[in-house]
Amino acid sequence: MLMNHRYDILAWNHEMTRLLLDFDTLPPSQRNSTWLCLIHPEIREFHVDRERLMREGITPPAGGDLPCRGR
């Protein structure tokens, strides 16, 4: 899976669709790994320690952008 600096999912292969979900079924505005971890029911359950992931994944680096800003 290829992501940009905002964690937008730009490209994926067949194996990723089998492991997670078929990203072609999502509108481009929802192809963001942070958004998926927060909202999508299948992906939410995929993470064992989702709370920790959200704490560490959403906190922007100093001077950085939030991954889903502008959506």
Side-chain angles (χ1 to χ4, degrees):
M1 180 167 35
L2 176 66
M3 294 186 285
N4 65 13
H5 67 284
R6 295 183 315 179
Y7 303 104
D8 293 323
I9 301 168
L10 305 174
W12 55 91
N13 58 22
H14 178 70
E15 287 77 17
M16 288 305 292
T17 62
R18 291 181 58 197
L19 177 64
L20 296 174
L21 62 103
D22 186 355
F23 296 106
D24 281 321
T25 64
L26 298 173
S29 63
Q30 293 179 6
R31 292 179 194 157
N32 179 279
S33 61
T34 303
W35 183 91
L36 290 169
C37 289
L38 288 170
I39 304 298
H40 198 280
E42 291 176 45
I43 303 300
R44 284 177 60 115
E45 300 305 316
F46 187 75
H47 298 284
V48 175
D49 191 1
R50 194 175 75 77
E51 295 302 320
R52 178 175 166 244
L53 176 70
M54 292 297 95
R55 275 195 315 272
E56 295 175 2
I58 292 179
T59 306
D65 242 350
L66 286 175
C68 50
R69 188 176 197 169
R71 292 200 178 275

